Amino acid sequence: MTAWCPLLSLNLIFLDHGPESFARLVQLGEQQGGSGEEYRIHGGSSSHAWQAIPEEFTRRLCWCLDLVGSVRGLHWSLNSAECWQQAIKETQARQRQKIPSLKELLLRLILGLVAADCLKALTAADPCFWGRVDAECHVNLGSLTLSPKLDQVSRLITAFLVIYLAIQVLSTLGNVLFLHVLGPSLAGTWGHPWAHAPAFGDFSAIGSHGLRGFWGSWWHQFFRLTLDPPASAIARLLTGDESGRTARTVRMVTAFLISGALHACASLTLWGPSQPSHTFYFFVLQPVGILIQAALAIPSLSSPMLCTVANLGFTVYWLLVTSPLLVGDYASGVLWMTEPMPFSILALLGLSRRSLRTPLWAGFGVGWYRSERWWLSGLAF
């Protein structure tokens, strides 16, 4: 948060021309008070309106909290007709999608938590996830022994699934809370399905665009709204425009550099002796891989199937080569030992060596953690 908040403030106050240039998309009929000039119907929609920054303090506070808390900014737009019309179209498209029922979301949530418990059992049985990254450790599969290379690949796949599941479970939990528990009456705009989008994009983007499709379309876009303004500003400063090939390359590299710095700051907060530079290097190497893949001219292959296989193959290869930097740093910081649940279902069934009630949650409580340095102090759960 120490790195995220200044970057967010820079974007909202300076790079995005201040809060006066923002408008919030709201459902018509939900306005409670406020002047008529505060709302504007735009983009050919008869069911939504754009809400400018309110004058009254309480309403303005809620408006600002929504702006700061909306990580993806799905229902926010700059004061631009093109942006407003595009946001209306995307909103109407999401509105036409089937709303997941509470039963469906709870089933997803339960399955995600069970899968997370299974992955937790795997990481708990592998010393390399305990921070012993330099130790000679192997995945325990009974009588089956894997080669060191397969050991490493299986570990990287496990780590990838842990991150993927964590994001999916949090996204599903948010949908349950805002759509079915709170609803529009308590959550306002966040209580509508059109204010939420899937955490991950279309997987076919990887087959079509390779590593660029992995990061730009399929992987979660929670940081994109914060990374784009400074990347665009630097591209304009260095190249004079934003649409040229050089400008797009500068934007991409800058976005990965900022993302790497943010993740490195997160690595600093881990319990163990982490190596934040390794996490930073992982993100720095991603645009290098994208540029290498572009130089290989894979889309020029004659067969579409061959092009898809080549894109998938290069993406998997590059991530397997570079992700040990990230996974190893998180292992050193003991991130993989974090307990996702207050109790283990597998332990309850006798299928895990972990205790029924995990050590992290055994002394559950909330309090203020005081450190020698102020930035390491804070509310501890």
Side-chain angles (χ1 to χ4, degrees):
M1 294 301 293
T2 307
W4 176 267
C5 290
L7 182 61
L8 183 63
S9 300
L10 174 68
N11 292 340
L12 297 180
I13 298 174
F14 298 105
L15 300 181
D16 285 330
H17 312 295
E20 291 78 9
S21 63
F22 282 94
R24 177 171 66 165
L25 194 63
V26 296
Q27 190 94 14
L28 286 177
E30 289 184 356
Q31 305 96 317
Q32 299 175 357
S35 62
E37 298 178 355
E38 189 175 306
Y39 302 95
R40 179 190 295 185
I41 299 176
H42 204 286
S45 172
S46 59
S47 58
H48 301 90
W50 291 104
Q51 181 190 21
I53 184 168
E55 293 293 335
E56 197 264 323
F57 174 76
T58 304
R59 295 167 53 76
R60 175 175 288 215
L61 177 63
C62 294
W63 189 92
C64 292
L65 288 175
D66 191 351
L67 174 62
V68 174
S70 181
V71 178
R72 300 180 70 175
L74 294 176
H75 56 284
W76 286 89
S77 176
L78 290 172
N79 193 8
S80 158
E82 292 78 9
C83 290
W84 286 16
Q85 291 169 359
Q86 181 63 25
I88 285 283
K89 291 178 182 178
E90 293 176 356
T91 295
Q92 292 173 337
R94 289 195 299 273
Q95 201 168 22
R96 289 191 293 268
Q97 295 176 354
K98 181 182 176 182
I99 302 174
S101 64
L102 179 60
K103 181 179 178 181
E104 182 182 350
L105 289 174
L106 287 177
L107 180 60
R108 287 187 203 171
L109 186 62
I110 292 172
L111 291 177
L113 290 174
V114 171
D117 194 33
C118 294
L119 291 174
K120 178 60 189 175
L122 289 176
T123 58
D126 188 348
C128 282
F129 283 103
W130 306 348
R132 295 170 53 188
V133 291
D134 296 327
E136 199 153 319
C137 46
H138 302 281
V139 179
N140 185 8
L141 295 176
S143 59
L144 180 61
T145 303
L146 299 179
S147 67
K149 288 294 183 183
L150 287 178
D151 260 356
Q152 185 182 34
V153 170
S154 67
R155 240 174 248 118
L156 296 177
I157 293 174
T158 301
F160 169 79
L161 290 175
V162 168
I163 298 173
Y164 174 82
L165 269 176
I167 296 171
Q168 283 284 29
V169 166
L170 287 175
S171 177
T172 305
L173 187 61
N175 288 338
V176 171
L177 177 64
F178 290 113
L179 298 182
H180 293 283
V181 177
L182 299 177
S185 59
L186 294 176
T189 303
W190 287 29
H192 291 287
W194 51 263
H196 301 269
F200 292 88
D202 189 355
F203 188 80
S204 64
I206 305 176
S208 303
H209 304 289
L211 192 62
R212 179 167 64 90
F214 177 92
W215 289 112
S217 299
W218 181 73
W219 194 248
H220 75 84
Q221 304 296 310
F222 292 132
F223 296 156
R224 187 164 194 162
L225 189 67
T226 307
L227 299 178
D228 271 351
S232 299
I234 292 177
R236 286 194 301 268
L237 180 65
L238 296 180
T239 65
D241 65 66
E242 296 181 34
S243 57
R245 184 174 180 178
T246 303
R248 291 197 302 269
T249 302
V250 172
R251 286 178 59 188
M252 175 187 67
V253 173
T254 304
F256 274 107
L257 287 174
I258 298 173
S259 180
L262 288 174
H263 284 83
C265 290
S267 174
L268 281 171
T269 66
L270 297 179
W271 299 331
S274 60
Q275 297 174 304
S277 60
H278 289 191
T279 294
F280 179 74
Y281 295 151
F282 167 76
F283 286 95
V284 168
L285 289 173
Q286 301 315 304
V288 175
I290 293 174
L291 294 175
I292 291 175
Q293 189 172 17
L296 294 176
I298 291 177
S300 63
L301 296 176
S302 57
S303 169
M305 179 61 70
L306 186 59
C307 178
T308 299
V309 172
N311 280 326
L312 288 172
F314 182 87
T315 302
V316 172
Y317 170 78
W318 194 260
L319 291 174
L320 286 176
V321 169
T322 58
S323 55
L325 290 167
L326 180 74
V327 176
D329 179 35
Y330 287 172
S332 298
V334 206
L335 175 67
W336 307 116
M337 288 294 97
T338 302
E339 293 288 353
M341 300 170 65
F343 60 90
S344 170
I345 299 175
L346 293 181
L348 180 65
L349 298 175
L351 301 176
S352 175
R353 293 180 295 179
R354 293 150 62 209
S355 61
L356 179 62
R357 195 154 185 255
T358 58
L360 182 63
W361 290 75
F364 177 77
V366 180
W368 185 262
Y369 174 77
R370 186 179 299 277
S371 176
E372 295 179 358
R373 296 177 174 84
W374 64 268
W375 60 85
L376 296 178
S377 302
L379 191 63
F381 293 89

